[in-house]
Amino acid sequence: MFSRTVAFELCRAFKSKCFLAAVVISFFLAGGSAFVSLRNAVSITEMIQGGSSQIVKWLGTSATGAYVSWIGIGAMDISPFKFLSCLLMPILVLIPYSWSLSNDLASGYANLVCGSVSHRCYIWGKVIACGLSGLSVYLANRLGSFIALVCLLPAYNPRPEDVIYIGVYASDPYAWLLYNIPFAYIVLSLLIEGTMMFFWAAVVCLLGRYIRKTSSLLLSATVAVILLEQINDV
């Protein structure tokens, strides 16, 4: 019964128009970010080959690589698409299904479902569906941009000098992976960030038990994200 409940909730989550909209936005931001990174890489390559600026001495071939372009803010300028991805991702992962528990409880649909399955199965089905749908939106953005960059740019290993672009110092945790096995660093990064997005989407879903109005739930989550970002910037 539990597996059937989870499968039903996953079907509702991944077939919803909200999930499709979130994935489209996520892919759009990924494509824009990859385009700006590609443009910057071409500009840097031209500067290196032409030697037309003093900044060339700070640039190396690794600055035009896929890894630095994906991890960093860009050697030439900050991509607005990458900035929007970081800013909006905690909100985008909520759009597919994190509002569903609140909506089901408010409409009375949850009472109908719990007549045939246990309340615990229903809640866990919701949590898993919300987490996986949110994780999928996150991966659509991050993996989409990475795959695009790997297909368009050479996969040069980052160098310690690239810290001015990627902000990862040699003394930082897992920095050894980045500068020696960058693909492993990216997998680890996706795993950590993806887990955070999964639990964030699931936690907001559970808050729907107490905040029955969907708009109030999503607004509260948005305010929480803004406050956390402000605290992180302090």
Side-chain angles (χ1 to χ4, degrees), residues 4-176:
R4 291 178 59 186
T5 302
V6 173
F8 176 72
E9 292 297 337
L10 285 173
C11 185
R12 288 185 66 193
F14 284 96
K15 288 186 177 182
S16 69
K17 293 181 180 179
C18 291
F19 175 74
L20 177 61
V23 169
V24 168
I25 295 172
S26 189
F27 271 129
F28 172 76
L29 293 174
S33 177
F35 172 78
V36 173
S37 295
L38 176 63
R39 184 192 64 188
N40 290 345
V42 171
S43 298
I44 294 173
T45 301
E46 292 175 349
M47 292 172 63
I48 292 174
Q49 293 175 346
S52 59
S53 172
Q54 289 296 321
I55 199 173
V56 171
K57 65 181 181 181
W58 298 104
L59 301 173
T61 53
S62 60
T64 66
Y67 292 118
V68 171
S69 298
W70 186 80
I71 297 171
I73 60 174
M76 300 296 289
D77 54 34
I78 298 176
S79 166
F81 296 98
K82 188 171 292 187
F83 174 77
L84 285 175
S85 295
C86 295
L87 183 67
L88 297 179
M89 192 53 61
I91 301 172
L92 277 178
V93 298
L94 305 180
I95 293 177
Y97 209 53
S98 291
W99 46 266
S100 61
L101 179 58
S102 172
N103 187 69
D104 286 359
L105 290 171
S107 65
Y109 178 79
N111 294 329
L112 295 176
V113 175
C114 290
S116 55
V117 299
S118 68
H119 183 263
R120 178 174 294 181
C121 282
Y122 171 72
I123 293 296
W124 274 108
K126 284 286 185 190
V127 167
I128 293 173
C130 290
L132 289 179
S133 59
L135 175 62
S136 299
V137 171
Y138 164 78
L139 291 177
N141 178 270
R142 299 298 280 159
L143 278 180
S145 61
F146 178 70
I147 291 173
L149 288 172
V150 168
C151 290
L152 297 172
L153 296 175
Y156 296 128
N157 273 25
R159 304 176 307 164
E161 294 84 354
D162 295 324
V163 66
I164 60 176
Y165 312 130
I166 57 182
V168 180
Y169 293 88
S171 59
D172 289 347
Y174 312 115
W176 184 90

